[in-house]
Every structure is written in structure tokens, then in C-alpha cells.
Amino acid sequence: MFLLWVYSTNGIAQNVWRTLPDDKSSLAYNEAANWVGVIFAAYSLFGALFSLVMARIATKIGRKKVYMGALLLGGIGLFSMVLIHNQYALLFSMLGLGIAWAAILAMPYAILSATLPASRMGIFMGLFNATITIPQITAGLFGGVILGLLGGNAIMMLGVAGVSMIFAGFGVLFVKDNS
């Protein structure tokens, strides 16, 4: 999600509006930036709607399956942005991202809190938060290097993010969930 927030405006401007990488003052770039605001609102709406039913789905099929499925849909949503050249079609990408975002905000904590002893909850939740911040710091430090290796094509960073989220989805298979 961090890569989405950092690279979506440049990526969509380049991929959909066909701007040049350093063309941040053109009308096309500004139209793209405005559209990013619209699609971010859409993924937030999709996430809010999914959060209304997520707990019921998790009760029926399990938290791990919900979390894994949500991450896979989010990864597909991110990666699909590389292939989409129509601004309205990006709304379909946002459906997967909204579902993933809702699950990211809830499922890891639900899975973890069911496993931890109450007396050690604070320590382990603090350590768990490091698994969120360290990858973001790493992406911040090395994102520019990766972008350079991708020829400055910011939309490809969303592809990298999508593949990463798909791997994370499959990584959920290795998580123990004490329901």
C-alpha cells in the first residue's frame, strides 16, 4: 500500500494520461492527480463496505482465508494498474485494493491477538508493528533505486507492489490461527 500511495499519481499520469516522468506541471498530469483522488476515495469506500461483512465471512470460512483472499485481490488490483490504460477501468483495481485495505487493518491483529497470551500482548503487538514500519522504511529507502532500475516508469512500482502483495497473500498459508 505504501508504494501505491507514493507512486500512483506519477504512474497513472504516465500510464493513462501519457505524461513524461518529469511533466508535473501539465494539465494532463493534474487531471491524473485529480483522478487519483477519485480512485483513492473509491478504494476507501470499497474497503468500508467490505469491512461491514468481513467479520461474518471470517466466521464462516476463517480469518486466514479471508486475509489471504483479500491480499490476493489487492495484489491483483495493484498489478492490474500496470495493464490498464483507461481511467475508469482503474475503479476495478480499486475494488481489490479496498478489500485488501480493510483486511490489512483488521485481520492481522485479530489473528495475532487470538494467539498471544494476555500478559505479553503489548510486547508482541509492538514487535508486530515493526513488521509494518520496517518494510515501509525499506521501501522508502530503496524505492528510488528500484524505480531507476525500472527506467523511471512509476507504474511498474505498482506492479512490484502487486507481486509483493500476492506473495504476502500466499505467505498467510504459513500463519497459525488459533480461532
Side-chain angles (χ1 to χ4, degrees):
M1 295 301 286
F2 179 80
L3 294 177
L4 171 74
W5 301 326
V6 173
Y7 293 103
S8 59
T9 301
N10 288 342
I12 290 169
Q14 292 169 11
N15 202 43
V16 177
W17 271 265
R18 301 292 186 207
T19 65
L20 297 172
D22 294 328
D23 187 16
K24 293 186 171 55
S25 61
S26 70
L27 177 62
Y29 184 89
N30 284 290
E31 286 177 10
N34 289 338
W35 188 249
V36 168
V38 170
I39 63 174
F40 275 25
Y43 98 73
S44 297
L45 175 65
F46 294 142
L49 293 174
F50 182 67
S51 70
L52 296 173
V53 297
M54 183 171 45
R56 281 184 246 143
I57 296 170
T59 299
K60 288 184 180 181
I61 68 169
R63 293 181 291 221
K64 277 179 55 172
K65 289 180 183 173
V66 168
Y67 192 41
M68 179 180 174
L71 289 176
L72 292 174
L73 288 173
I76 291 166
L78 279 165
F79 191 82
S80 71
M81 294 173 76
V82 173
L83 307 173
I84 292 174
H85 301 285
N86 177 291
Q87 71 188 69
Y88 299 104
L90 289 170
L91 291 168
F92 293 106
S93 301
M94 295 304 111
L95 179 61
L97 285 169
I99 290 169
W101 184 237
I104 288 167
L105 292 176
M107 285 294 132
Y109 297 99
I111 293 167
L112 187 60
S113 65
T115 305
L116 297 175
S119 64
R120 312 278 287 167
M121 186 78 65
I123 293 168
F124 284 107
M125 285 293 186
L127 290 171
F128 174 73
N129 281 331
T131 69
I132 297 168
T133 56
I134 292 171
Q136 288 182 349
I137 292 167
T138 303
L141 291 172
F142 296 106
V145 173
I146 296 168
L147 180 63
L149 293 172
L150 296 172
N153 193 349
I155 199 70
M156 295 308 290
M157 291 299 284
L158 301 181
V160 169
V163 170
S164 298
M165 193 175 285
I166 289 169
F167 281 135
F170 286 118
V172 174
L173 291 171
F174 301 100
V175 172
K176 182 179 178 186
D177 184 12
N178 294 336
S179 299

mmCIF file of all heavy atoms in Angstrom, residues 11-56:
data_model
loop_
_atom_site.group_PDB
_atom_site.id
_atom_site.type_symbol
_atom_site.label_atom_id
_atom_site.label_comp_id
_atom_site.label_asym_id
_atom_site.label_seq_id
_atom_site.Cartn_x
_atom_site.Cartn_y
_atom_site.Cartn_z
ATOM 1 N N GLY A 11 2.585 7.228 -11.711
ATOM 2 C CA GLY A 11 2.338 6.039 -12.526
ATOM 3 C C GLY A 11 1.100 6.170 -13.390
ATOM 4 O O GLY A 11 1.127 5.855 -14.588
ATOM 5 N N ILE A 12 0.025 6.644 -12.803
ATOM 6 C CA ILE A 12 -1.213 6.795 -13.572
ATOM 7 C C ILE A 12 -1.079 7.926 -14.589
ATOM 8 O O ILE A 12 -1.571 7.819 -15.718
ATOM 9 C CB ILE A 12 -2.402 6.993 -12.615
ATOM 10 C CG1 ILE A 12 -2.667 5.666 -11.889
ATOM 11 C CG2 ILE A 12 -3.641 7.486 -13.349
ATOM 12 C CD1 ILE A 12 -3.628 5.763 -10.734
ATOM 13 N N ALA A 13 -0.393 8.991 -14.218
ATOM 14 C CA ALA A 13 -0.162 10.082 -15.181
ATOM 15 C C ALA A 13 0.605 9.566 -16.397
ATOM 16 O O ALA A 13 0.270 9.886 -17.542
ATOM 17 C CB ALA A 13 0.599 11.221 -14.512
ATOM 18 N N GLN A 14 1.611 8.737 -16.156
ATOM 19 C CA GLN A 14 2.405 8.197 -17.254
ATOM 20 C C GLN A 14 1.649 7.142 -18.045
ATOM 21 O O GLN A 14 1.704 7.110 -19.278
ATOM 22 C CB GLN A 14 3.697 7.588 -16.716
ATOM 23 C CG GLN A 14 4.662 8.582 -16.142
ATOM 24 C CD GLN A 14 5.801 7.909 -15.385
ATOM 25 O OE1 GLN A 14 5.991 6.701 -15.439
ATOM 26 N NE2 GLN A 14 6.575 8.710 -14.662
ATOM 27 N N ASN A 15 0.919 6.272 -17.353
ATOM 28 C CA ASN A 15 0.312 5.103 -17.983
ATOM 29 C C ASN A 15 -1.032 5.398 -18.642
ATOM 30 O O ASN A 15 -1.358 4.795 -19.658
ATOM 31 C CB ASN A 15 0.153 3.989 -16.940
ATOM 32 C CG ASN A 15 0.034 2.625 -17.551
ATOM 33 O OD1 ASN A 15 0.757 2.295 -18.483
ATOM 34 N ND2 ASN A 15 -0.873 1.827 -17.032
ATOM 35 N N VAL A 16 -1.809 6.279 -18.056
ATOM 36 C CA VAL A 16 -3.148 6.559 -18.582
ATOM 37 C C VAL A 16 -3.170 7.883 -19.346
ATOM 38 O O VAL A 16 -3.712 7.960 -20.443
ATOM 39 C CB VAL A 16 -4.199 6.555 -17.448
ATOM 40 C CG1 VAL A 16 -5.575 6.911 -17.974
ATOM 41 C CG2 VAL A 16 -4.226 5.200 -16.734
ATOM 42 N N TRP A 17 -2.573 8.921 -18.790
ATOM 43 C CA TRP A 17 -2.584 10.242 -19.422
ATOM 44 C C TRP A 17 -1.368 10.465 -20.325
ATOM 45 O O TRP A 17 -1.253 11.483 -20.962
ATOM 46 C CB TRP A 17 -2.685 11.335 -18.363
ATOM 47 C CG TRP A 17 -4.101 11.665 -18.028
ATOM 48 C CD1 TRP A 17 -4.844 12.679 -18.575
ATOM 49 C CD2 TRP A 17 -4.951 11.004 -17.090
ATOM 50 N NE1 TRP A 17 -6.107 12.665 -18.024
ATOM 51 C CE2 TRP A 17 -6.201 11.653 -17.116
ATOM 52 C CE3 TRP A 17 -4.785 9.913 -16.244
ATOM 53 C CZ2 TRP A 17 -7.268 11.265 -16.322
ATOM 54 C CZ3 TRP A 17 -5.844 9.527 -15.452
ATOM 55 C CH2 TRP A 17 -7.075 10.184 -15.488
ATOM 56 N N ARG A 18 -0.444 9.516 -20.350
ATOM 57 C CA ARG A 18 0.732 9.519 -21.227
ATOM 58 C C ARG A 18 1.634 10.741 -21.029
ATOM 59 O O ARG A 18 2.155 11.309 -21.984
ATOM 60 C CB ARG A 18 0.317 9.418 -22.695
ATOM 61 C CG ARG A 18 -0.482 8.194 -23.024
ATOM 62 C CD ARG A 18 0.380 6.989 -22.909
ATOM 63 N NE ARG A 18 -0.350 5.803 -23.363
ATOM 64 C CZ ARG A 18 -0.097 4.598 -22.938
ATOM 65 N NH1 ARG A 18 0.861 4.395 -22.071
ATOM 66 N NH2 ARG A 18 -0.775 3.574 -23.372
ATOM 67 N N THR A 19 1.817 11.125 -19.763
ATOM 68 C CA THR A 19 2.734 12.228 -19.477
ATOM 69 C C THR A 19 4.159 11.687 -19.407
ATOM 70 O O THR A 19 4.382 10.489 -19.264
ATOM 71 C CB THR A 19 2.389 12.915 -18.149
ATOM 72 O OG1 THR A 19 2.592 11.997 -17.081
ATOM 73 C CG2 THR A 19 0.958 13.430 -18.150
ATOM 74 N N LEU A 20 5.108 12.576 -19.477
ATOM 75 C CA LEU A 20 6.508 12.221 -19.300
ATOM 76 C C LEU A 20 6.817 12.164 -17.802
ATOM 77 O O LEU A 20 6.137 12.816 -17.000
ATOM 78 C CB LEU A 20 7.404 13.246 -19.994
ATOM 79 C CG LEU A 20 7.226 13.334 -21.514
ATOM 80 C CD1 LEU A 20 8.019 14.516 -22.069
ATOM 81 C CD2 LEU A 20 7.640 12.034 -22.179
ATOM 82 N N PRO A 21 7.847 11.412 -17.387
ATOM 83 C CA PRO A 21 8.137 11.263 -15.953
ATOM 84 C C PRO A 21 8.307 12.576 -15.187
ATOM 85 O O PRO A 21 7.925 12.664 -14.035
ATOM 86 C CB PRO A 21 9.421 10.437 -15.940
ATOM 87 C CG PRO A 21 9.380 9.662 -17.206
ATOM 88 C CD PRO A 21 8.697 10.567 -18.206
ATOM 89 N N ASP A 22 8.870 13.600 -15.798
ATOM 90 C CA ASP A 22 9.108 14.859 -15.086
ATOM 91 C C ASP A 22 8.082 15.939 -15.428
ATOM 92 O O ASP A 22 8.294 17.110 -15.138
ATOM 93 C CB ASP A 22 10.515 15.378 -15.399
ATOM 94 C CG ASP A 22 11.583 14.452 -14.852
ATOM 95 O OD1 ASP A 22 11.339 13.828 -13.804
ATOM 96 O OD2 ASP A 22 12.651 14.344 -15.479
ATOM 97 N N ASP A 23 6.984 15.557 -16.023
ATOM 98 C CA ASP A 23 5.969 16.503 -16.507
ATOM 99 C C ASP A 23 4.889 16.741 -15.447
ATOM 100 O O ASP A 23 3.748 16.338 -15.605
ATOM 101 C CB ASP A 23 5.358 15.939 -17.790
ATOM 102 C CG ASP A 23 4.422 16.916 -18.465
ATOM 103 O OD1 ASP A 23 4.472 18.113 -18.134
ATOM 104 O OD2 ASP A 23 3.643 16.476 -19.322
ATOM 105 N N LYS A 24 5.266 17.413 -14.362
ATOM 106 C CA LYS A 24 4.340 17.582 -13.242
ATOM 107 C C LYS A 24 3.536 18.875 -13.309
ATOM 108 O O LYS A 24 2.684 19.112 -12.472
ATOM 109 C CB LYS A 24 5.100 17.498 -11.926
ATOM 110 C CG LYS A 24 5.661 16.114 -11.686
ATOM 111 C CD LYS A 24 6.278 16.023 -10.317
ATOM 112 C CE LYS A 24 6.660 14.664 -9.906
ATOM 113 N NZ LYS A 24 7.489 13.843 -10.623
ATOM 114 N N SER A 25 3.776 19.701 -14.294
ATOM 115 C CA SER A 25 3.057 20.969 -14.366
ATOM 116 C C SER A 25 2.027 21.005 -15.492
ATOM 117 O O SER A 25 1.325 21.990 -15.644
ATOM 118 C CB SER A 25 4.039 22.128 -14.523
ATOM 119 O OG SER A 25 4.771 21.975 -15.725
ATOM 120 N N SER A 26 1.913 19.922 -16.240
ATOM 121 C CA SER A 26 0.987 19.920 -17.372
ATOM 122 C C SER A 26 -0.452 19.705 -16.911
ATOM 123 O O SER A 26 -0.718 19.202 -15.814
ATOM 124 C CB SER A 26 1.372 18.826 -18.363
ATOM 125 O OG SER A 26 1.103 17.553 -17.804
ATOM 126 N N LEU A 27 -1.381 20.053 -17.760
ATOM 127 C CA LEU A 27 -2.799 19.832 -17.498
ATOM 128 C C LEU A 27 -3.082 18.339 -17.362
ATOM 129 O O LEU A 27 -3.830 17.919 -16.471
ATOM 130 C CB LEU A 27 -3.640 20.435 -18.621
ATOM 131 C CG LEU A 27 -5.151 20.220 -18.515
ATOM 132 C CD1 LEU A 27 -5.696 20.883 -17.251
ATOM 133 C CD2 LEU A 27 -5.849 20.767 -19.750
ATOM 134 N N ALA A 28 -2.455 17.514 -18.210
ATOM 135 C CA ALA A 28 -2.673 16.063 -18.162
ATOM 136 C C ALA A 28 -2.237 15.487 -16.814
ATOM 137 O O ALA A 28 -2.944 14.665 -16.227
ATOM 138 C CB ALA A 28 -1.918 15.377 -19.304
ATOM 139 N N TYR A 29 -1.087 15.933 -16.314
ATOM 140 C CA TYR A 29 -0.615 15.438 -15.021
ATOM 141 C C TYR A 29 -1.591 15.826 -13.917
ATOM 142 O O TYR A 29 -1.909 15.021 -13.041
ATOM 143 C CB TYR A 29 0.783 15.974 -14.701
ATOM 144 C CG TYR A 29 1.337 15.405 -13.418
ATOM 145 C CD1 TYR A 29 2.061 14.215 -13.431
ATOM 146 C CD2 TYR A 29 1.114 16.024 -12.186
ATOM 147 C CE1 TYR A 29 2.558 13.667 -12.262
ATOM 148 C CE2 TYR A 29 1.607 15.484 -11.012
ATOM 149 C CZ TYR A 29 2.322 14.302 -11.054
ATOM 150 O OH TYR A 29 2.792 13.759 -9.884
ATOM 151 N N ASN A 30 -2.081 17.031 -13.955
ATOM 152 C CA ASN A 30 -3.024 17.483 -12.932
ATOM 153 C C ASN A 30 -4.362 16.763 -13.025
ATOM 154 O O ASN A 30 -4.991 16.474 -12.002
ATOM 155 C CB ASN A 30 -3.202 19.003 -13.002
ATOM 156 C CG ASN A 30 -1.997 19.703 -12.407
ATOM 157 O OD1 ASN A 30 -1.779 19.665 -11.216
ATOM 158 N ND2 ASN A 30 -1.178 20.307 -13.264
ATOM 159 N N GLU A 31 -4.798 16.433 -14.233
ATOM 160 C CA GLU A 31 -6.012 15.621 -14.394
ATOM 161 C C GLU A 31 -5.787 14.236 -13.788
ATOM 162 O O GLU A 31 -6.669 13.687 -13.126
ATOM 163 C CB GLU A 31 -6.393 15.515 -15.856
ATOM 164 C CG GLU A 31 -6.990 16.777 -16.427
ATOM 165 C CD GLU A 31 -7.300 16.667 -17.915
ATOM 166 O OE1 GLU A 31 -7.228 15.550 -18.474
ATOM 167 O OE2 GLU A 31 -7.619 17.702 -18.515
ATOM 168 N N ALA A 32 -4.624 13.678 -14.031
ATOM 169 C CA ALA A 32 -4.295 12.370 -13.451
ATOM 170 C C ALA A 32 -4.290 12.447 -11.928
ATOM 171 O O ALA A 32 -4.835 11.567 -11.250
ATOM 172 C CB ALA A 32 -2.939 11.887 -13.973
ATOM 173 N N ALA A 33 -3.682 13.482 -11.383
ATOM 174 C CA ALA A 33 -3.628 13.641 -9.928
ATOM 175 C C ALA A 33 -5.029 13.769 -9.346
ATOM 176 O O ALA A 33 -5.334 13.180 -8.293
ATOM 177 C CB ALA A 33 -2.782 14.857 -9.569
ATOM 178 N N ASN A 34 -5.895 14.501 -10.026
ATOM 179 C CA ASN A 34 -7.282 14.612 -9.567
ATOM 180 C C ASN A 34 -7.981 13.254 -9.615
ATOM 181 O O ASN A 34 -8.736 12.906 -8.710
ATOM 182 C CB ASN A 34 -8.053 15.633 -10.406
ATOM 183 C CG ASN A 34 -7.611 17.047 -10.135
ATOM 184 O OD1 ASN A 34 -7.050 17.356 -9.080
ATOM 185 N ND2 ASN A 34 -7.835 17.929 -11.108
ATOM 186 N N TRP A 35 -7.716 12.481 -10.665
ATOM 187 C CA TRP A 35 -8.349 11.171 -10.783
ATOM 188 C C TRP A 35 -7.827 10.213 -9.704
ATOM 189 O O TRP A 35 -8.581 9.384 -9.195
ATOM 190 C CB TRP A 35 -8.139 10.582 -12.176
ATOM 191 C CG TRP A 35 -8.946 9.333 -12.364
ATOM 192 C CD1 TRP A 35 -8.479 8.061 -12.481
ATOM 193 C CD2 TRP A 35 -10.374 9.236 -12.400
ATOM 194 N NE1 TRP A 35 -9.518 7.177 -12.596
ATOM 195 C CE2 TRP A 35 -10.704 7.874 -12.551
ATOM 196 C CE3 TRP A 35 -11.402 10.164 -12.321
ATOM 197 C CZ2 TRP A 35 -12.010 7.415 -12.629
ATOM 198 C CZ3 TRP A 35 -12.715 9.710 -12.399
ATOM 199 C CH2 TRP A 35 -13.004 8.351 -12.544
ATOM 200 N N VAL A 36 -6.578 10.339 -9.333
ATOM 201 C CA VAL A 36 -6.045 9.523 -8.239
ATOM 202 C C VAL A 36 -6.834 9.795 -6.962
ATOM 203 O O VAL A 36 -7.153 8.871 -6.205
ATOM 204 C CB VAL A 36 -4.532 9.757 -8.043
ATOM 205 C CG1 VAL A 36 -4.026 9.148 -6.735
ATOM 206 C CG2 VAL A 36 -3.758 9.177 -9.218
ATOM 207 N N GLY A 37 -7.193 11.042 -6.716
ATOM 208 C CA GLY A 37 -8.036 11.357 -5.566
ATOM 209 C C GLY A 37 -9.372 10.649 -5.638
ATOM 210 O O GLY A 37 -9.882 10.129 -4.628
ATOM 211 N N VAL A 38 -9.948 10.575 -6.821
ATOM 212 C CA VAL A 38 -11.240 9.892 -7.011
ATOM 213 C C VAL A 38 -11.096 8.396 -6.754
ATOM 214 O O VAL A 38 -11.903 7.799 -6.030
ATOM 215 C CB VAL A 38 -11.795 10.152 -8.434
ATOM 216 C CG1 VAL A 38 -12.999 9.269 -8.728
ATOM 217 C CG2 VAL A 38 -12.146 11.631 -8.609
ATOM 218 N N ILE A 39 -10.066 7.779 -7.332
ATOM 219 C CA ILE A 39 -9.942 6.329 -7.151
ATOM 220 C C ILE A 39 -9.525 5.976 -5.728
ATOM 221 O O ILE A 39 -9.889 4.906 -5.229
ATOM 222 C CB ILE A 39 -9.033 5.666 -8.210
ATOM 223 C CG1 ILE A 39 -7.602 6.155 -8.129
ATOM 224 C CG2 ILE A 39 -9.624 5.841 -9.602
ATOM 225 C CD1 ILE A 39 -6.629 5.426 -9.049
ATOM 226 N N PHE A 40 -8.794 6.853 -5.059
ATOM 227 C CA PHE A 40 -8.483 6.603 -3.650
ATOM 228 C C PHE A 40 -9.755 6.674 -2.810
ATOM 229 O O PHE A 40 -9.931 5.891 -1.871
ATOM 230 C CB PHE A 40 -7.440 7.588 -3.139
ATOM 231 C CG PHE A 40 -6.014 7.195 -3.402
ATOM 232 C CD1 PHE A 40 -5.666 6.349 -4.452
ATOM 233 C CD2 PHE A 40 -4.997 7.668 -2.607
ATOM 234 C CE1 PHE A 40 -4.346 5.997 -4.692
ATOM 235 C CE2 PHE A 40 -3.673 7.314 -2.830
ATOM 236 C CZ PHE A 40 -3.353 6.483 -3.874
ATOM 237 N N ALA A 41 -10.640 7.587 -3.139
ATOM 238 C CA ALA A 41 -11.937 7.634 -2.454
ATOM 239 C C ALA A 41 -12.713 6.349 -2.726
ATOM 240 O O ALA A 41 -13.364 5.802 -1.824
ATOM 241 C CB ALA A 41 -12.731 8.854 -2.909
ATOM 242 N N ALA A 42 -12.610 5.840 -3.959
ATOM 243 C CA ALA A 42 -13.307 4.598 -4.313
ATOM 244 C C ALA A 42 -12.758 3.422 -3.512
ATOM 245 O O ALA A 42 -13.531 2.623 -2.969
ATOM 246 C CB ALA A 42 -13.187 4.328 -5.813
ATOM 247 N N TYR A 43 -11.432 3.308 -3.406
ATOM 248 C CA TYR A 43 -10.913 2.166 -2.651
ATOM 249 C C TYR A 43 -11.257 2.296 -1.176
ATOM 250 O O TYR A 43 -11.503 1.287 -0.500
ATOM 251 C CB TYR A 43 -9.434 1.888 -2.943
ATOM 252 C CG TYR A 43 -8.385 2.408 -2.006
ATOM 253 C CD1 TYR A 43 -8.188 1.838 -0.753
ATOM 254 C CD2 TYR A 43 -7.531 3.436 -2.389
ATOM 255 C CE1 TYR A 43 -7.191 2.302 0.093
ATOM 256 C CE2 TYR A 43 -6.527 3.888 -1.568
ATOM 257 C CZ TYR A 43 -6.374 3.322 -0.315
ATOM 258 O OH TYR A 43 -5.386 3.775 0.515
ATOM 259 N N SER A 44 -11.333 3.496 -0.673
ATOM 260 C CA SER A 44 -11.750 3.692 0.715
ATOM 261 C C SER A 44 -13.208 3.276 0.907
ATOM 262 O O SER A 44 -13.553 2.634 1.910
ATOM 263 C CB SER A 44 -11.568 5.150 1.118
ATOM 264 O OG SER A 44 -10.211 5.511 1.073
ATOM 265 N N LEU A 45 -14.048 3.623 -0.049
ATOM 266 C CA LEU A 45 -15.456 3.223 0.010
ATOM 267 C C LEU A 45 -15.581 1.702 -0.069
ATOM 268 O O LEU A 45 -16.302 1.086 0.721
ATOM 269 C CB LEU A 45 -16.246 3.884 -1.115
ATOM 270 C CG LEU A 45 -17.703 3.440 -1.232
ATOM 271 C CD1 LEU A 45 -18.502 3.859 0.005
ATOM 272 C CD2 LEU A 45 -18.332 4.014 -2.497
ATOM 273 N N PHE A 46 -14.871 1.092 -1.015
ATOM 274 C CA PHE A 46 -14.912 -0.369 -1.138
ATOM 275 C C PHE A 46 -14.406 -1.037 0.144
ATOM 276 O O PHE A 46 -14.955 -2.050 0.585
ATOM 277 C CB PHE A 46 -14.098 -0.847 -2.341
ATOM 278 C CG PHE A 46 -14.648 -0.418 -3.672
ATOM 279 C CD1 PHE A 46 -13.784 -0.044 -4.695
ATOM 280 C CD2 PHE A 46 -16.008 -0.378 -3.912
ATOM 281 C CE1 PHE A 46 -14.267 0.355 -5.934
ATOM 282 C CE2 PHE A 46 -16.511 0.020 -5.148
ATOM 283 C CZ PHE A 46 -15.637 0.385 -6.157
ATOM 284 N N GLY A 47 -13.371 -0.476 0.734
ATOM 285 C CA GLY A 47 -12.849 -1.015 1.993
ATOM 286 C C GLY A 47 -13.861 -0.897 3.116
ATOM 287 O O GLY A 47 -14.051 -1.831 3.901
ATOM 288 N N ALA A 48 -14.529 0.241 3.209
ATOM 289 C CA ALA A 48 -15.540 0.436 4.252
ATOM 290 C C ALA A 48 -16.694 -0.541 4.074
ATOM 291 O O ALA A 48 -17.175 -1.137 5.054
ATOM 292 C CB ALA A 48 -16.046 1.876 4.231
ATOM 293 N N LEU A 49 -17.121 -0.745 2.837
ATOM 294 C CA LEU A 49 -18.227 -1.685 2.586
ATOM 295 C C LEU A 49 -17.814 -3.112 2.914
ATOM 296 O O LEU A 49 -18.580 -3.865 3.527
ATOM 297 C CB LEU A 49 -18.695 -1.564 1.137
ATOM 298 C CG LEU A 49 -19.359 -0.239 0.764
ATOM 299 C CD1 LEU A 49 -19.642 -0.178 -0.732
ATOM 300 C CD2 LEU A 49 -20.631 -0.019 1.575
ATOM 301 N N PHE A 50 -16.595 -3.488 2.521
ATOM 302 C CA PHE A 50 -16.136 -4.841 2.824
ATOM 303 C C PHE A 50 -15.990 -5.050 4.331
ATOM 304 O O PHE A 50 -16.275 -6.134 4.843
ATOM 305 C CB PHE A 50 -14.813 -5.150 2.114
ATOM 306 C CG PHE A 50 -14.331 -6.551 2.352
ATOM 307 C CD1 PHE A 50 -15.013 -7.634 1.848
ATOM 308 C CD2 PHE A 50 -13.192 -6.790 3.108
ATOM 309 C CE1 PHE A 50 -14.585 -8.934 2.078
ATOM 310 C CE2 PHE A 50 -12.744 -8.080 3.347
ATOM 311 C CZ PHE A 50 -13.443 -9.156 2.831
ATOM 312 N N SER A 51 -15.579 -4.013 5.030
ATOM 313 C CA SER A 51 -15.413 -4.155 6.485
ATOM 314 C C SER A 51 -16.727 -4.460 7.184
ATOM 315 O O SER A 51 -16.738 -5.048 8.265
ATOM 316 C CB SER A 51 -14.760 -2.905 7.080
ATOM 317 O OG SER A 51 -15.656 -1.815 7.047
ATOM 318 N N LEU A 52 -17.839 -4.091 6.560
ATOM 319 C CA LEU A 52 -19.150 -4.373 7.151
ATOM 320 C C LEU A 52 -19.491 -5.864 7.125
ATOM 321 O O LEU A 52 -20.274 -6.334 7.949
ATOM 322 C CB LEU A 52 -20.243 -3.578 6.431
ATOM 323 C CG LEU A 52 -20.144 -2.053 6.552
ATOM 324 C CD1 LEU A 52 -21.189 -1.399 5.659
ATOM 325 C CD2 LEU A 52 -20.294 -1.614 7.998
ATOM 326 N N VAL A 53 -18.922 -6.595 6.178
ATOM 327 C CA VAL A 53 -19.236 -8.023 6.055
ATOM 328 C C VAL A 53 -18.046 -8.929 6.352
ATOM 329 O O VAL A 53 -18.203 -10.149 6.434
ATOM 330 C CB VAL A 53 -19.793 -8.350 4.643
ATOM 331 C CG1 VAL A 53 -21.104 -7.617 4.392
ATOM 332 C CG2 VAL A 53 -18.774 -8.029 3.560
ATOM 333 N N MET A 54 -16.878 -8.349 6.520
ATOM 334 C CA MET A 54 -15.655 -9.141 6.682
ATOM 335 C C MET A 54 -15.726 -10.086 7.877
ATOM 336 O O MET A 54 -15.336 -11.257 7.768
ATOM 337 C CB MET A 54 -14.448 -8.206 6.808
ATOM 338 C CG MET A 54 -13.129 -8.914 6.901
ATOM 339 S SD MET A 54 -11.706 -7.798 6.781
ATOM 340 C CE MET A 54 -12.148 -6.465 7.857
ATOM 341 N N ALA A 55 -16.204 -9.620 9.009
ATOM 342 C CA ALA A 55 -16.250 -10.469 10.206
ATOM 343 C C ALA A 55 -17.175 -11.667 9.993
ATOM 344 O O ALA A 55 -16.853 -12.782 10.420
ATOM 345 C CB ALA A 55 -16.698 -9.657 11.412
ATOM 346 N N ARG A 56 -18.307 -11.435 9.338
ATOM 347 C CA ARG A 56 -19.231 -12.554 9.076
ATOM 348 C C ARG A 56 -18.613 -13.573 8.133
ATOM 349 O O ARG A 56 -18.770 -14.779 8.324
ATOM 350 C CB ARG A 56 -20.549 -12.027 8.504
ATOM 351 C CG ARG A 56 -21.441 -11.467 9.599
ATOM 352 C CD ARG A 56 -22.780 -11.031 9.051
ATOM 353 N NE ARG A 56 -22.792 -9.583 9.235
ATOM 354 C CZ ARG A 56 -23.298 -8.714 8.422
ATOM 355 N NH1 ARG A 56 -23.896 -9.095 7.319
ATOM 356 N NH2 ARG A 56 -23.228 -7.428 8.675
#
